[in-house]
Amino acid sequence: MFPSSEALLAFAEAAKLGSFSAAALKLGKGQSTISTAIANLEIDFGLVLFDRSGRKPTLTQQGEAMLRHAEDVLRAYSRLGQAANTFVSGHEPRLSVALSDTYQSDRFEEALNSFGERFPETELECLIAECDDLVTLIQSGRAQIGFVEQQQSYPADICARPVPEQTEIALYVARSHPLAEQKWIQADMLLQYRELRLSTVLGAQTSLSHGRSWSAPSYLMLMEMAQRGFGWAALPRWLVERFGRDSLYELRLQAWPRNIVVDAVCSRRQPLGPAGAWLLEAMLS
């Protein structure tokens, strides 16, 4: 039979305090209750946990080894109780956040530190998606909060609010690409070369070349394609600065780079729980 948490607690306190009577006093039990609980543990384990030959009981070598396991189990019991209390109070067991690669924010990383302290039992999942793909994740309930490049319009069931920070998108090519030889280019020069663009509905609508193009579902994949010289791409500047500075060249042309407003989005049909509401407010305040 698996020992009860009460028996394990009696064992742990007696070992810590060096006395069955002290453990009984701390736990509000009779000394005989503590002694019986520990004796039953020894029977269940088939081990002698305490040497009782002296004035005070002392742990045997087997008792010292078993104490470490008993403390692990007691900590697990404690986490189990904390989790139950958290979920009974309405906190979400899991929160999924969808992020666009356009958005890189120190605020988000700082908010996650506080989130982990405030909601230790809530599992946090981060997903990467762009534009209409990200909105679909929110609508389907696959994600509860999203941070996406601001769109001209949203479905009626999506609530959107801009975050305080903006981001920049610029045009890049590999340093070996012919366009990299030009210090300043005209927009019509882009038509002569392949565009690398997002494979989303919005990405198709905002295509700059209106000609031949390759597509990918994420900015990270587009950056890797640009690094290989397959074409030019509009990429978040922070992404290139962090991962592609040595291999990509920023094209200089009128109206670029562009400032991008990022919206925090959530569903009107599926209200956020306490953890989600706190995280959203932390990102907007």
Side-chain angles (χ1 to χ4, degrees):
M1 178 183 295
F2 192 81
S4 67
S5 60
E6 290 81 4
L8 293 176
L9 186 58
F11 170 42
E13 289 296 340
K16 177 181 178 181
L17 299 173
S19 166
F20 290 1
S21 60
L25 182 62
K26 180 175 180 179
L27 297 176
K29 306 285 185 181
Q31 181 174 339
S32 61
T33 300
I34 300 299
S35 298
T36 300
I38 294 173
N40 288 337
L41 270 184
E42 292 177 318
I43 294 172
D44 290 340
F45 292 152
L47 301 171
V48 176
L49 302 176
F50 287 96
D51 180 355
R52 298 171 175 78
S53 61
R55 188 171 63 89
K56 290 187 176 182
T58 58
L59 283 172
T60 63
Q61 286 187 331
Q62 294 174 330
E64 289 178 354
M66 293 302 292
L67 176 62
R68 291 192 291 272
H69 293 295
E71 289 174 336
D72 287 342
V73 173
L74 287 171
R75 282 191 288 268
Y77 269 121
S78 177
R79 290 194 298 270
L80 183 66
Q82 290 173 358
N85 290 335
T86 295
F87 301 145
V88 165
S89 65
H91 293 178
E92 310 92 304
R94 180 187 183 96
L95 180 67
S96 295
V97 179
L99 298 158
S100 164
D101 274 333
T102 57
Y103 187 55
Q104 195 277 333
S105 168
D106 292 338
R107 177 193 297 262
F108 184 66
E109 296 176 0
E110 293 169 1
L112 291 188
N113 288 330
S114 298
F115 182 90
E117 296 173 359
R118 290 172 176 265
F119 307 98
E121 303 301 330
T122 297
E123 178 184 350
L124 180 68
E125 178 188 31
C126 291
L127 306 171
I128 299 297
E130 302 297 340
C131 305
D132 46 301
D133 294 339
L134 187 148
V135 172
T136 298
L137 289 178
I138 301 296
Q139 287 183 300
S140 67
R142 179 63 183 84
Q144 288 74 55
I145 300 173
F147 297 96
V148 64
E149 178 181 340
Q150 189 175 73
Q151 301 182 52
Q152 293 182 350
S153 62
Y154 292 95
D157 59 343
I158 293 295
C159 175
R161 295 166 61 187
V163 300
E165 305 92 349
Q166 291 191 355
T167 189
E168 282 188 332
I169 287 185
L171 300 183
Y172 294 92
V173 293
R175 293 190 178 275
S176 59
H177 193 280
L179 286 174
E181 300 175 0
Q182 307 295 324
K183 292 185 177 180
W184 188 265
I185 67 172
Q186 301 297 322
D188 58 1
M189 295 176 64
L190 297 176
L191 300 178
Q192 302 174 37
Y193 300 94
R194 182 185 296 118
E195 178 187 9
L196 308 174
R197 60 176 177 79
L198 286 174
S199 56
T200 66
V201 172
L202 184 59
Q205 292 174 344
T206 58
S207 174
L208 301 177
S209 69
H210 302 290
R212 55 181 176 170
S213 64
W214 287 4
S215 62
S218 73
Y219 280 114
L220 183 60
M221 292 183 67
L222 289 180
M223 185 180 71
E224 292 175 345
M225 293 164 68
Q227 288 172 319
R228 292 180 177 271
F230 296 152
W232 56 268
L235 299 170
R237 176 169 274 174
W238 78 266
L239 189 67
V240 174
E241 289 292 318
R242 182 172 297 183
F243 300 112
R245 175 185 297 181
D246 296 334
S247 57
L248 291 175
Y249 174 81
E250 182 178 342
L251 298 178
R252 305 293 180 179
L253 69 163
Q254 189 175 5
W256 289 87
R258 293 180 177 176
N259 288 326
I260 300 297
V261 176
V262 175
D263 281 342
V265 296
C266 59
S267 173
R268 299 183 189 275
R269 295 184 301 165
Q270 303 170 2
L272 295 173
W278 181 91
L279 181 60
L280 180 61
E281 188 59 33
M283 295 303 299
L284 292 173
S285 60

